[in-house]
């Protein structure tokens, strides 16, 4: 393995495969949830709330990896449906606390069961998936901390 990335071939770019996989997962989850009103971002929100309990919108945005401007309309819909609660924090009226309801937890349990079944049917090797998760987590942390080089040239307009 070389220490240089092959930028000549699209199929050799890690970012291309991650982008393509993200699109594939989007289609996969859309098909899985198609008749329920549940979406992948809503699923991630429920996962984060179930794992870490009630939290502020900004903490949820960070935890779920969903931008706050995207999060607010989702949270409104989810609260109207009854999957989550939204209420002002007692110690700071400006902060809204979000939590999962029993209905939201039931939705999450059923969604996780369907997803687990689907992944079994895909035949993804669990050991390879654990290795991939570690690699992707490590790579994302490095990218998040990086000061990327800047592309510059004249004549584009």
């Amino acid at each position: 393995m070389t220490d240089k990335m092959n930028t000549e071939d699209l199929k050799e770019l890690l970012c291309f495969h991650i982008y393509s996989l993200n699109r594939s997962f989007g289609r996969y989850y859309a098909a899985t949830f198609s008749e329920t009103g549940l979406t992948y971002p809503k699923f991630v929100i429920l996962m984060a709330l179930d794992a870490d309990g009630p939290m502020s919108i900004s903490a949820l945005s960070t935890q779920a990896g969903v931008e706050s401007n995207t999060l607010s309309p989702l949270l409104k819909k989810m609260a109207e449906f009854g999957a989550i609660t939204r209420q002002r924090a007692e110690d700071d009226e400006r902060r809204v606390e979000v939590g999962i309801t029993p209905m939201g937890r039931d939705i999450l349990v059923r969604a996780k069961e369907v997803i687990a079944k689907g992944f079994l049917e895909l035949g993804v090797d669990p050991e390879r998936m654990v290795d991939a998760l570690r690699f992707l987590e490590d790579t994302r942390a490095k990218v998040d901390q990086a000061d990327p080089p800047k592309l510059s040239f004249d004549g584009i307009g």
Side-chain angles (χ1 to χ4, degrees):
M1 183 165 166
T2 68
D3 61 351
K4 291 187 178 186
M5 184 171 68
N6 179 358
T7 58
E8 300 297 319
D9 185 354
L10 188 60
K11 301 266 190 232
E12 296 292 320
L13 295 176
L14 176 63
C15 55
F16 172 75
H17 287 282
I18 291 171
Y19 176 79
S20 298
L21 181 60
N22 181 52
R23 290 178 42 98
S24 294
F25 270 127
R27 289 188 298 273
Y28 185 84
Y29 279 94
T32 298
F33 300 148
S34 66
E35 298 177 20
T36 67
L38 186 63
T39 62
Y40 183 73
K42 290 176 185 176
F43 172 71
V44 169
I45 290 165
L46 291 175
M47 290 280 295
L49 291 173
D50 188 50
D52 296 321
M55 64 183 83
S56 69
I57 291 176
S58 64
L60 180 58
S61 174
T62 300
Q63 181 72 10
V66 179
E67 296 295 328
S68 57
N69 61 344
T70 302
L71 193 56
S72 293
L74 286 174
L75 295 177
K76 184 177 181 186
K77 289 177 186 174
M78 293 173 76
E80 288 170 356
F81 184 72
I84 64 163
T85 59
R86 294 184 319 159
Q87 58 192 82
R88 299 264 174 216
E90 292 179 16
D91 61 334
D92 184 352
E93 279 286 313
R94 296 170 295 174
R95 195 174 80 236
V96 175
E97 294 282 326
V98 183
I100 190 169
T101 65
M103 174 199 275
R105 196 164 278 114
D106 183 52
I107 292 167
L108 182 59
V109 166
R110 292 186 300 164
K112 285 165 98 173
E113 288 170 357
V114 170
I115 291 166
K117 180 180 182 245
F119 269 84
L120 279 174
E121 291 172 2
L122 288 175
V124 176
D125 179 352
E127 287 183 32
R128 289 187 70 197
M129 188 163 52
V130 168
D131 290 341
L133 289 172
R134 285 187 187 128
F135 171 77
L136 290 171
E137 185 177 292
D138 182 52
T139 302
R140 187 185 75 199
K142 289 176 182 176
V143 170
D144 285 348
Q145 297 299 316
D147 181 19
K150 307 291 187 263
L151 174 66
S152 65
F153 48 89
D154 297 325
I156 299 278

